[in-house]
Amino acid sequence: MAPPQGPQAPQEFGGPLGAAALLLLLPATMFHLLLAARSGPARLLGLPPSLPAPAELWSPRALLLLLAWLGLQAALYLLPARQVATGLELKDRRRLLYPINGFQALVLTALLVAVGVLLGLPLGALTEMLLPLASAATLMAFIFSLLLYLKALVAPASALAPGGNTGNLIYDFFLGRELNPRICSFDFKYFCELRPGLMAWVLINLALLLREAELRGSPSLAMWLVNGFQLLYVADALWYEEAVLTTMDITHDGFGFMLAFGDLVWVPFTYSLQAQFLLYHPQALGLPMALVICFINAVGYFIFRRANSQKNTFRKNPSDPSVAGLETIPTATGRKLLVSGWWGMVRHPNYLGDLIMSLAWSLPCGVSHLLPYFYILYFTALLVHREARDEQQCLRKYGRAWQEYCQRVPYRIVPYVY
Ligand code: NDP
């Protein structure tokens, strides 16, 4: 069943009105979180105590730093890759090639940062620039999305995403018109998906850890845990970089403001919220509690990694010995659906693992404030919504076979709960 395209495509995120609201709401929420994290009361709900002066929100230095960061990551992207992966077949039957060198870029970035810090680079000072950096990144995301929109106007119909070409300017600008915008072999969406934003997230975390050490003599245990857990998550995403090629972001969504802002701005500045909170609101964390939190993160990571790897292996080679014995449901497309193993427990076991990890990232911040739990609240909403979008797409793709899968595996994310 081919989904309707163009103006007939079902509209998501509340259509043009929802998209217009999100264009304002997402940046506003991010600035609110940045301001709240550094304020005394650190309230998630309610206005931050004081609004910053314009000079605190903008600096040409921050803009230059951001451009240098993007330039560095683009240069690392262009370095020879250990492997070149092939994407899924496109509407015009072509398959795009993607360099698999994200982990290499992470290691080289870490080496550069380490050398810089040893030579006296004041990385901790980055924490004083978060607001102007976030402003520069937001401005850049708007300009970049506009350029992507204009580029998509001259793209052939076969290059457009299933949604995002409805003819409504705001909706298409938000959702993204072109599926894989490229200049020569440089793929903008693939580049932004896992590199500049994810690595900026761990760099901001590291800067907060170093700043804490400057202020209090050494980083706290809570700060070590948050840094360690989130570094593991980012390193894992880059190590298994090829897996991103089968995600909804790459195969279904166009590249517009939603992904550009999400990847380049939202991720580094809001996902580092726990570390930001800890810098301004130090928390005492005992070893027994730290061990419990490590255990929760390990359980989440185990489920997340095993579930993702099982599906990726199955999609790449269903006769691989690790998945060949699993029970499957045939579909009219020729592809099969796993109905035992992790994917027989719930329909999105990888989301379950991700959510368990998100709890472990917030727990080091104690229970005195709701603010550090923003991530788990937002992430639950994101994954519930994402799961529903994915189900719609799978129903269109697999029809009756998907309905059978839903009957056999009735829970979506959490066994016996949801
Ligand atoms: P998924 O990896 O969950 O993939 C969903 C696809 O898997 C479906 O469209 C279908 O595609 C295939 N599939 C579904 N059920 C089965 C089955 N039973 N057997 C075989 N294949 C099946 O997609 P996401 O991109 O949403 O998530 C990837 C990872 O990224 C997750 O771990 C998620 O938690 C994480 N994530 C993290 C975010 C963050 O901000 N930290 C944001 C979003 C995601 P097909 O049949 O075409 O192969």
Side-chain angles (χ1 to χ4, degrees), residues 153-178:
L153 291 179
V154 292
S158 62
L160 301 183
N165 62 93
T166 58
N168 182 292
L169 193 150
I170 293 184
Y171 184 78
D172 294 352
F173 172 84
F174 178 78
L175 217 66
R177 295 190 86 225
E178 196 175 346

Side-chain angles (χ1 to χ4, degrees), residues 181-193:
R182 285 182 162 210
I183 291 184
C184 299
S185 63
F186 195 98
D187 190 301
F188 292 108
K189 183 165 64 167
Y190 175 69
F191 168 69
C192 291
E193 214 30 39

Side-chain angles (χ1 to χ4, degrees), residues 32-40 42-43 273 276-277 280-281 371:
H32 169 71
L33 295 171
L34 283 171
L35 292 171
R38 64 185 56 205
S39 73
R43 274 197 216 102
L273 191 67
Q276 292 177 45
F277 172 83
Y280 299 100
H281 306 85
L371 188 78

Side-chain angles (χ1 to χ4, degrees), residues 343-362:
W343 297 79
M345 186 174 78
V346 283
R347 301 206 290 271
H348 266 97
N350 48 354
Y351 289 3
L352 175 65
D354 223 337
L355 282 171
I356 295 174
M357 279 191 285
S358 73
L359 175 67
W361 300 355
S362 300

Side-chain angles (χ1 to χ4, degrees), residues 111-124:
L111 283 175
L112 282 175
V113 170
V115 170
V117 170
L118 287 176
L119 293 177
L121 182 82
L123 187 58

Side-chain angles (χ1 to χ4, degrees), residues 229-248:
F229 294 160
Q230 297 183 349
L231 175 63
L232 170 72
Y233 190 75
V234 169
D236 174 277
L238 291 164
W239 182 260
Y240 294 101
E241 189 178 20
E242 196 181 340
V244 82
L245 298 180
T246 54
T247 62
M248 196 193 297

Side-chain angles (χ1 to χ4, degrees), residues 128-139:
E128 315 299 328
M129 293 178 72
L130 288 185
L131 281 177
L133 278 170
S135 306
T138 304
L139 177 70

